[in-house]
Amino acid sequence: MLTALLLIWPVAAALLLHFVRGSAARALAFGASLVELVLAIYAAFQFQTDYSLPHFELDYAWLASAGIHFHIGMDGLSLLLVLLTAFLVPLILLASFRHEYENPSVFYALVLFMQSGLIGVFVALDAFVFYFFWEVALIPIYFLAGVWGGERRVQVTLKFFIYTVVGSLLMLAGFVYLYYMTGATGAARSSDLSAFYNLNLSTEEQSWVFLLIFAAFAIKMPLFPLHSWQPDTYAEAPAPATMLLSGIMLKMGIYGTLRWLMPVVPLGVSRWVGLIMVLAVIGVIYGALIAIRQRDMKRLIAFSSLSHVGLMIAGMFSLTAVGLQGTVIQMLAHGVNVVGMFFIADIIERRTGTRQIPELGGLTRATPLLSVTFLVILLGTVALPLTNGFVGEFLLLMGVYQFNPWLGAVAGLTIVFGAVYLLRMFQRVMLGPDSSFSAVIRDLTGAELAVLVPLVVMVFWIGLFPGTFMHISEPAVNKLLVLINR
Amino acid sequence: MESTIPEVIRTVPLQHYVFFAAALFSIGVLGVLTRRNAIIIFMCVELMLNAVNVLLAAFSAYRADPNGQVFVFFIMAVAAAEVAVGLGIIVMIYRNIQNTDVNLLDRLKW
Amino acid sequence: MAEQAPLAVFTGSPLLYVLIPLLPFLGFLINGLLNRRLSGTVAGGISSLAVLGSFLLSLMHFVQFTGTPYTVHLFDWISVGSLHIPFDYQIDQLSLIMLLLVTGVGFLIHVYSIGYMHHDENVGKFFAFLNLFVFSMLLLVMGANYVILFIGWEGVGLCSYLLIGFWNKHTAFNNAAKKAFIINRIGDLGFLLGIFLIYQTFDSVQYGEVFQKAAAGQFGPYTVAIVTVITLLLFVGAMGKSAQLPLYTWLPDAMAGPTPVSALIHAATMVTAGIYMVLRSNILYTLSPDTLNVVAWIGGLTALFAATIGLAQNDIKKVLAYSTVSQLGYMFLALGVMGYTSSLFHVLTHAFFKALMFLGAGSVIHAMSNEQDIRNMGGLRKALPITFLTFLIGCLAIAGIPPFSGFFSKDEILTHAFEHNKILYGIGLLTAFLTAFYMFRLLFLTFFGEFRGTEEQKHHLHESPATMTLPLIVLAILAAVGGFMNAPLVLGKGYLADFLAPLFAYSKQTNPEAFGAEIDHATEYMLIGLSVAAGVLGIVFAYVQYVSRRVRPADDASQRGFLENLVYHKYYVDELYNTLFVKPSMFLSRGLHDFVEKRVVDAGVNGVGRGVFGGSKLLGSLQTGRVETYLLLMVIGIVVVLALNFMKF
């Protein structure tokens, strides 16, 4: 039931938002997201010891005659992502407080709808429920970006939307096929996750189904070369939408692959794994190289995110315990870091009116707090040991290395290029000779610190004691590995 | 079955009706395709409808099955209603553009 | 020996061990959080005391050390499947010596910094970073596995980045900082891959287990040849951190940082991390003679190469920087010829005399109001007597004049080189000569002759305050007598060699003969004579050139011969790297973005969109709006359907 409550609460709050106007809307939205966080933490403490089994299950016969149930529940892996979502959404809301959006009640209602959709994706245990929430998460972001975005918002958002929907429909086709196959042996058809896990398809079938379903995930993550919606969308969307997209939404693709793809069609995975590894590693290097010369901070972060996600995909497809655990921990780390980076880019843009790196410089002298938080989050992103990025990248690279040493070595270049583009940005924005802004820029305000301090704490928490989280996901990941290697 | 059909009717063989109806229908089709005046096109459509009516009536009589003739009445009724609406539209068009040339009416697209 | 149990585990409270790195970390937090609210002296006092505390604790552990290495378990850090990376410390001969070195020299440099950074507005930040550095360096030497080592390894890299770019108004300094970090990261990548391979081979990253398995010949799925790959990968890391060919270019640029930083990080401690790592893994290196050869040659060539560049530098800190690169090369040369003890010995003596010289240079720069060009100095020995005397001791030590410390360690290295490879010995000897020459060139140009600076500078000349001179004096004493820790082989084995012997037990067991048969005394005396002669000769040449003949280095713009020009411009290595790596990367970055991203990937996606648009336009054009066309199409459609129907399709 707790899972259902986690799903319903944001929706209820979003509906309530309809009745309030102006700044009360954001206060209500923020309060609601805090309650959601408390619920998620409560759920974490209520977890029984076995993290590999779904907890707080709800199995409501939705379309009972067709074998489609509204089946939701959380195991360790879901729990971590639900926690991540519940942790990031209040911060994202708080970060958006500094802006005056038109129609705030609609804006914040959409964010809460989106939260519900995201959590739904992470807790769904039925393919059609999963698909439903997958789309539910997409629609609010379309409006957020399309209505409150930058100048080119309509064109960019439409491209993003169509791109994603094409992928989703292919995924739906894959699910429908699997659904029909569950009835192939004469048993009643079912779209339940466990029914999918019990399927016994031929390699040929699996490889086609894999392509269909992976299309949706690969676009969402995104995997090179399906990423071209990403930099534009990140740059054009309003800051909270960008944070939602990069911080949580792209984890949907990775989570989906872990939960709905690898264990369902393991033979299909092994058919395509070589190609995907190569594409992912190309993405790592490609994103990093392009990031070096970006002038727009948000675009730079977008390409850096492409590079980091490439590494996550590669680690995940190494199909080793190290790689999968690395992916899980890196999902959390990347969520924290990328949200922090986009927030800082937004702060700087608000203060100076520009995101263009060459126009900035020498900001550090007036802004010690901003410099420190920026540096910490940046170091987390460059994977310095004892920050969150290191644990993930270390495990991911080890996974890729175990898959193939040469790929590991090439993917490892990310630690060099990552340092190049991020330090370059830091130097040109924060350090160097004074620019016209360095005297007038204000340091962080209390509300901004309230967003950044939890992020900084997480940077070190995950970096120093990754065990807290890996311990939660390990049984679930091991169970997935058993299914993958069956 | 043959015996139940009156002699009067049998003096004209069924084929004649079929050929006649086909000719009538073809004239209608050609008219619709080649003429540009909306009213003439409309009349040609009526021609096609009536060609079908003739066929229906003929087969109905030869097979001694009244259903066909009932159907003809229906068609006539519908055609009458359609004429009323269609002519109304044509009148409206004429009032607007002082013409009934269908080639001038090319805004009927996406 | 092979059955030697994996290291004993310390069972008591780990507090006294945790505190060693934790004290500097607390200093970092205090200084970092209270940044501008503390006065410079208080900030410096806090961080110096923190390091002093670590030093005293290290000393305590050193005194209590029984000779049996042990590990101290703190907590489990990363644990996935069979991969366990605990957060452990290892206390043994090597880590204890490094602890004493880092905290001891570190403390002196902290004290010195109180005086040196007195005028700086961000002094709190400076001490915070300095303490963070000590913290990372202590983690580096105390870690009980390769991953903890890597934490410290990257941590010191970060601090180096922060401190080189400490005066962040200057783009050149920031670039130097970035360059240091990035080149180090290239090395780190090699190191990281080495760690992965170690894990695959030995199924562990803990020193104790890895070395035991390596000595016992258990290479998991591989044969002994894998060790060569592992050690080479690790050595790539060492090349980056310890500034060896071809990854040395960051170190001279790193002189952009404040001088105490150059002394602590870029001379005494951080740059020796590579040597520490090879020493730590000595059993692996011993198992791979090929790698040792590579190490020896790279070390020897770096020593010579950097020394020749040092001949023509005019920036007082740049000379010292190239000298550091050169001396680091010496240490790797020692490692490569399996003079493990002598390498560590040289690490220690080098830390003393090079820190001394950097601090002395700092004192000079301080007195000269931030002038670093030796062409504008001269005759400073009267104004700065203590600095001069201590600097002289440093120069004598590095030139290898007995009985100063550098003589002993350098002689030991040369002896080992002589046993292994006569060419490398020749290179070492030539480097010794060049080193003596350029160090005394520096000394003579700075402290002898006429003052060549401006009147204002002359007026301002003063000896540094006590916080700066005291560390100089202490370091000078250490540089003078430090050599007796490990007197040369003629006089029997030194204390250091005895103390360190257990560290190399595995190596000795797998390859006993490589540890060198004793060479006869006649040869040994000859070698001592030769190395002293090289040093003396270098000094004499420098004296003749720069004191007797009063030669002054030419201005930047003046004409030079081909060779001189080549050396003066540091063999154009920076320019070469720029052309070979930096520019192509930038070009690639732009090319990928402007061409591949825009014209291929994105154009592909947009192409699909455009295709749909085009298709819809094409089909849309059928909708002419003309009733005739519609009707005609309809009729054609009906005819086709009927025709198909009749033909029984």
Side-chain angles (χ1 to χ4, degrees):
Chain A
M1 272 322 286
L2 199 51
T3 320
L5 194 58
L6 278 168
L7 272 180
I8 294 165
W9 171 250
V11 178
L15 293 177
L16 267 181
L17 272 178
H18 191 62
F19 300 106
V20 290
R21 288 277 166 266
S23 58
R26 56 192 198 191
L28 180 61
F30 180 62
S33 66
L34 278 185
V35 172
E36 180 83 354
L37 175 60
V38 171
L39 279 178
I41 292 173
Y42 176 73
F45 279 104
Q46 286 297 303
F47 242 68
Q48 260 79 63
T49 40
D50 192 351
Y51 288 103
S52 69
L53 292 176
H55 288 55
F56 318 116
E57 268 184 279
L58 174 76
D59 194 348
Y60 165 72
W62 189 16
L63 301 169
S65 56
I68 298 174
H69 287 225
F70 193 85
H71 189 189
I72 51 176
M74 292 191 274
D75 66 357
L77 182 57
S78 308
L79 177 70
L80 279 184
L81 287 161
V82 168
L83 280 173
L84 177 73
T85 313
F87 170 73
L88 287 179
V89 169
L91 296 181
I92 292 170
L93 285 171
L94 197 57
S96 70
F97 275 19
R98 306 162 317 116
H99 298 242
E100 287 298 334
Y101 292 107
E102 281 177 48
N103 291 326
S105 52
V106 180
F107 184 89
Y108 293 111
L110 284 171
V111 174
L112 289 177
F113 268 125
M114 173 139 179
Q115 180 175 25
S116 180
L118 290 166
I119 289 182
V121 167
F122 297 139
V123 300
L125 290 174
D126 182 285
F128 292 110
V129 176
F130 177 79
Y131 177 77
F132 170 73
F133 283 114
W134 179 273
E135 298 294 11
V136 164
L138 174 65
I139 290 158
I141 204 81
Y142 172 73
F143 287 111
L144 285 173
V147 177
W148 286 273
E151 277 168 33
R152 291 168 55 228
R153 61 178 183 269
V154 175
Q155 183 203 347
V156 164
T157 317
L158 190 66
K159 179 169 162 185
F160 160 65
F161 190 77
I162 294 177
Y163 215 144
T164 333
V165 165
V166 169
S168 312
L169 290 178
L170 292 176
M171 170 172 81
L172 183 62
F175 279 159
V176 168
Y177 183 79
L178 291 174
Y179 168 68
Y180 275 98
M181 292 317 285
T182 54
T185 50
R189 284 180 193 142
S190 165
S191 54
D192 200 80
L193 184 62
S194 53
F196 280 13
Y197 284 176
N198 288 329
L199 279 173
N200 223 340
L201 301 179
S202 70
T203 314
E204 195 61 25
E205 283 172 304
Q206 293 205 10
S207 103
W208 282 106
V209 170
F210 174 84
L211 287 183
L212 286 174
I213 299 181
F214 189 62
F217 300 152
I219 290 170
K220 198 72 115 205
M221 291 193 263
L223 172 69
F224 174 88
L226 302 174
H227 64 271
S228 66
W229 60 268
Q230 191 194 32
D232 283 342
T233 312
Y234 283 10
E236 288 299 318
T242 310
M243 293 183 209
L244 284 169
L245 264 174
S246 57
I248 314 175
M249 204 162 174
L250 66 79
K251 275 80 191 176
M252 282 168 41
I254 293 166
Y255 172 83
T257 310
L258 281 175
R259 172 84 73 207
W260 288 95
L261 195 56
M262 291 182 160
V264 176
V265 287
L267 297 176
V269 172
S270 53
R271 162 77 72 88
W272 293 105
V273 68
L275 176 69
I276 288 166
M277 286 299 269
V278 171
L279 284 179
V281 171
I282 289 177
V284 171
I285 301 304
Y286 179 85
L289 271 174
I290 288 187
I292 295 178
R293 283 196 73 125
Q294 287 302 307
R295 298 157 65 90
D296 180 328
M297 286 179 78
K298 273 177 119 180
R299 286 181 71 88
L300 189 149
I301 301 168
F303 279 110
S304 113
S305 174
L306 174 67
S307 171
H308 285 107
V309 170
L311 188 57
M312 280 190 243
I313 302 172
M316 178 164 66
F317 275 90
S318 71
L319 303 178
T320 55
V322 201
L324 289 188
Q325 277 289 64
T327 310
V328 173
I329 210 79
Q330 185 73 345
M331 278 201 267
L332 306 182
H334 180 263
V336 170
N337 291 338
V338 85
V339 166
M341 290 292 265
F342 274 122
F343 185 48
I344 283 169
D346 188 50
I347 290 176
I348 291 174
E349 188 189 357
R350 284 276 136 182
R351 299 270 210 280
T352 63
T354 180
R355 296 197 302 255
Q356 297 298 314
I357 295 170
E359 292 171 22
L360 297 163
L363 302 186
T364 182
R365 279 173 285 282
T367 58
L369 288 174
L370 178 64
S371 311
V372 170
T373 41
F374 192 3
L375 189 64
V376 167
I377 290 169
L378 185 124
L379 292 174
T381 316
V382 274
L384 200 85
L386 298 189
T387 64
N388 55 4
F390 176 73
V391 184
E393 279 199 10
F394 179 79
L395 294 175
L396 287 170
L397 283 174
M398 191 176 236
V400 181
Y401 186 88
Q402 288 176 359
F403 181 83
N404 179 323
W406 295 108
L407 272 181
V410 176
L413 285 173
T414 180
I415 70 165
V416 179
F417 287 130
V420 174
Y421 60 75
L422 286 167
L423 292 183
R424 198 162 183 271
M425 170 169 80
F426 188 73
Q427 179 185 332
R428 302 210 167 178
V429 173
M430 302 306 287
L431 312 178
D434 288 342
S435 68
S436 54
F437 305 113
S438 29
V440 292
I441 189 167
R442 223 159 20 95
D443 204 357
L444 296 181
T445 62
E448 286 161 351
L449 271 180
V451 177
L452 286 170
V453 166
L455 291 176
V456 166
V457 168
M458 287 311 284
V459 167
F460 289 117
W461 187 357
I462 301 178
L464 272 172
F465 307 107
T468 337
F469 305 98
M470 292 167 70
H471 156 73
I472 294 178
S473 61
E474 184 156 24
V477 164
N478 284 340
K479 201 173 163 191
L480 290 179
L481 265 178
V482 171
L483 284 165
I484 293 167
N485 294 326
R486 83 185 121 117
Chain B
M1 198 166 152
E2 288 287 310
S3 57
T4 57
I5 302 165
E7 191 60 28
V8 187
I9 292 174
R10 264 196 276 176
T11 50
V12 183
L14 182 59
Q15 287 90 332
H16 291 205
Y17 292 101
V18 175
F19 287 132
F20 170 65
L24 206 56
F25 189 85
S26 304
I27 292 169
V29 170
L30 277 177
V32 166
L33 289 183
T34 54
R35 302 307 294 263
R36 288 159 56 178
N37 189 314
I39 296 180
I40 294 181
I41 290 176
F42 209 62
M43 284 158 67
C44 292
V45 171
E46 293 303 313
L47 224 53
M48 285 150 73
L49 274 176
N50 284 322
V52 176
N53 281 347
V54 168
L55 264 187
L56 279 168
F59 277 102
S60 161
Y62 271 80
R63 305 191 63 140
D65 178 1
N67 278 337
Q69 292 182 41
V70 172
F71 210 55
V72 169
F73 282 114
F74 272 105
I75 292 176
M76 281 162 71
V78 170
E82 186 201 316
V83 166
V85 177
L87 277 178
I89 292 174
I90 291 171
V91 169
M92 286 305 295
I93 289 170
Y94 183 77
R95 278 193 195 157
N96 276 295
I97 62 170
Q98 314 300 322
N99 207 329
T100 52
D101 187 338
V102 289
N103 276 4
L104 295 175
L105 302 174
D106 58 355
R107 290 165 68 188
L108 193 64
K109 59 183 177 187
W110 54 279
Chain C
M1 279 296 275
E3 277 77 44
Q4 190 187 29
L7 299 176
V9 179
F10 177 76
T11 47
S13 155
L15 182 70
L16 288 178
Y17 297 93
V18 178
L19 275 181
I20 296 179
L22 206 59
L23 281 175
F25 188 74
L26 289 176
F28 157 71
L29 284 183
I30 293 171
N31 276 328
L33 293 176
L34 301 179
N35 190 3
R36 288 178 192 175
R37 259 158 268 172
L38 296 176
S39 77
T41 322
V42 176
I46 290 172
S47 44
S48 305
L49 278 179
V51 180
L52 181 65
S54 302
F55 175 70
L56 291 177
L57 281 172
S58 310
L59 199 63
M60 185 194 89
H61 292 307
F62 181 74
V63 172
Q64 290 176 351
F65 187 63
T66 56
T68 331
Y70 55 93
T71 62
V72 183
H73 179 69
L74 298 189
F75 61 93
D76 284 322
W77 186 40
I78 297 179
S79 159
V80 181
S82 68
L83 173 69
H84 293 288
I85 306 174
F87 212 102
D88 283 5
Y89 294 154
Q90 175 159 341
I91 303 297
D92 63 359
Q93 289 85 354
L94 184 57
S95 57
L96 281 170
I97 293 223
M98 290 303 283
L99 280 178
L100 288 177
L101 172 71
V102 173
T103 52
V105 175
F107 170 65
L108 291 174
I109 293 174
H110 273 73
V111 173
Y112 176 91
S113 306
I114 298 178
Y116 189 82
M117 296 301 287
H118 191 64
H119 303 298
D120 199 278
E121 51 177 340
N122 287 319
V123 57
K125 189 170 88 174
F126 178 80
F127 280 107
F129 289 166
L130 219 51
N131 266 353
L132 185 64
F133 168 76
V134 174
F135 164 73
S136 310
M137 191 70 205
L138 290 174
L139 273 190
L140 193 158
V141 297
M142 286 179 85
N145 60 51
Y146 281 101
V147 184
I148 307 288
L149 170 62
F150 190 73
I151 296 178
W153 190 269
E154 290 251 289
V156 291
L158 167 72
C159 299
S160 157
Y161 166 78
L162 292 172
L163 285 163
I164 296 171
F166 181 71
W167 288 310
N168 56 39
K169 263 192 186 178
H170 305 273
T171 306
F173 293 3
N174 293 331
N175 285 340
K178 196 173 61 180
K179 181 174 174 184
F181 195 79
I182 290 166
I183 293 188
N184 267 303
R185 275 255 157 154
I186 297 174
D188 293 353
L189 174 58
F191 191 1
L192 202 57
L193 295 175
I195 295 178
F196 294 158
L197 194 53
I198 286 177
Y199 173 65
Q200 273 195 326
T201 310
F202 301 108
D203 203 32
S204 172
V205 287
Q206 288 281 99
Y207 294 144
E209 266 178 73
V210 170
F211 299 153
Q212 194 180 14
K213 282 186 181 165
Q218 299 163 354
F219 300 107
Y222 303 104
T223 62
V224 69
I226 198 68
V227 178
T228 305
V229 184
I230 292 177
T231 46
L232 281 176
L233 284 171
L234 293 182
F235 184 56
V236 172
M239 278 194 243
K241 192 105 305 180
S242 299
Q244 294 299 292
L245 280 176
L247 298 180
Y248 72 95
T249 53
W250 64 271
L251 186 56
D253 286 11
M255 296 302 128
T259 309
V261 172
S262 312
L264 179 60
I265 301 186
H266 305 121
T269 52
M270 182 185 90
V271 288
T272 59
I275 290 125
Y276 165 80
M277 190 260 286
V278 176
L279 277 174
R280 185 50 92 193
S281 329
N282 67 75
I283 169 67
L284 299 179
Y285 280 84
T286 308
L287 283 170
S288 171
D290 295 338
T291 311
L292 281 178
N293 248 329
V294 172
V295 173
W297 275 101
I298 291 215
L301 289 178
T302 309
L304 183 61
F305 184 80
T308 55
I309 298 179
L311 294 176
Q313 296 302 308
N314 294 322
D315 181 319
I316 185 167
K317 285 179 74 180
K318 284 268 162 77
V319 178
L320 291 175
Y322 280 105
S323 147
T324 306
V325 176
S326 171
Q327 295 301 311
L328 289 168
Y330 243 89
M331 296 171 205
F332 278 104
L333 171 62
L335 292 173
V337 295
M338 294 189 65
Y340 293 137
T341 312
S342 52
S343 182
L344 185 64
F345 187 25
H346 200 57
V347 167
L348 296 175
T349 57
H350 176 256
F352 299 148
F353 62 68
K354 193 48 75 57
L356 167 64
M357 283 195 282
F358 263 114
L359 295 185
S363 177
V364 169
I365 296 166
H366 191 70
M368 292 284 295
S369 321
N370 295 328
E371 175 64 65
Q372 297 196 11
D373 195 323
I374 49 175
R375 284 171 298 195
N376 299 332
M377 297 177 184
L380 296 183
R381 69 176 187 278
K382 283 153 227 148
L384 304 168
I386 302 177
T387 309
F388 166 65
L389 268 177
T390 50
F391 203 85
L392 178 65
I393 292 174
C395 285
L396 287 170
I398 197 176
I401 305 299
F404 297 99
S405 60
F407 160 73
F408 294 98
S409 54
K410 208 177 245 189
D411 181 63
E412 227 179 274
I413 292 175
L414 286 175
T415 312
H416 277 286
F418 183 80
E419 285 168 34
H420 274 76
N421 188 326
K422 302 290 183 290
I423 303 174
L424 281 172
Y425 172 75
I427 290 177
L429 201 61
L430 180 57
T431 309
F433 163 71
L434 293 175
T435 308
F437 177 78
Y438 69 71
M439 286 316 305
F440 275 85
R441 168 179 176 270
L442 180 66
L443 182 83
F444 292 143
L445 284 173
T446 310
F447 292 99
F448 287 74
E450 292 298 308
F451 185 70
R452 297 182 295 274
T454 60
E455 274 308 305
E456 199 188 330
Q457 283 172 329
K458 188 166 188 175
H459 186 69
H460 183 254
L461 281 182
H462 60 279
E463 182 57 279
S464 303
T467 47
M468 287 167 71
T469 48
L470 273 177
L472 283 179
I473 294 169
V474 176
L475 281 171
I477 294 170
L478 285 171
V481 303
F484 292 100
M485 279 189 292
N486 201 21
L489 298 172
V490 179
L491 309 170
K493 279 209 166 163
Y495 166 73
L496 191 66
D498 276 343
F499 181 68
L500 288 176
L503 207 58
F504 310 118
Y506 282 138
S507 293
K508 222 164 209 167
Q509 170 198 335
T510 39
N511 192 357
E513 67 272 26
F515 273 79
E518 295 282 322
I519 43 174
D520 58 280
H521 286 191
T523 325
E524 197 157 354
Y525 281 122
M526 181 199 76
L527 292 177
I528 292 175
L530 273 176
S531 64
V532 173
V536 171
L537 210 60
I539 297 173
V540 169
F541 267 115
Y543 186 83
V544 170
Q545 187 83 339
Y546 296 105
V547 180
S548 308
R549 292 171 50 194
R550 296 171 177 259
V551 175
R552 298 292 160 255
D555 289 336
D556 291 331
S558 58
Q559 287 289 318
R560 291 185 169 79
F562 173 72
L563 255 181
E564 203 188 341
N565 198 31
L566 198 64
V567 172
Y568 183 74
H569 287 107
K570 308 153 201 164
Y571 298 100
Y572 294 99
V573 173
D574 277 324
E575 288 79 358
L576 182 73
Y577 285 180
N578 214 12
T579 326
L580 277 185
F581 303 109
V582 180
K583 283 195 181 147
S585 299
M586 292 294 163
F587 175 76
L588 207 60
S589 171
R590 180 179 290 191
L592 282 179
H593 184 253
D594 292 353
F595 184 73
V596 180
E597 178 76 5
K598 292 240 165 95
R599 300 273 166 77
V600 181
V601 177
D602 209 17
V605 176
N606 289 340
V608 173
R610 235 173 259 135
V612 172
F613 255 53
S616 95
K617 210 162 226 166
L618 202 70
L619 289 173
S621 65
L622 283 178
Q623 306 270 320
T624 55
R626 296 189 170 214
V627 182
E628 285 172 5
T629 344
Y630 295 162
L631 291 173
L632 187 64
L633 285 175
M634 192 174 94
V635 172
I636 293 174
I638 291 170
V639 170
V640 168
V641 169
L642 288 179
L644 287 178
N645 203 24
F646 280 121
M647 285 188 255
K648 300 284 177 213
F649 267 116

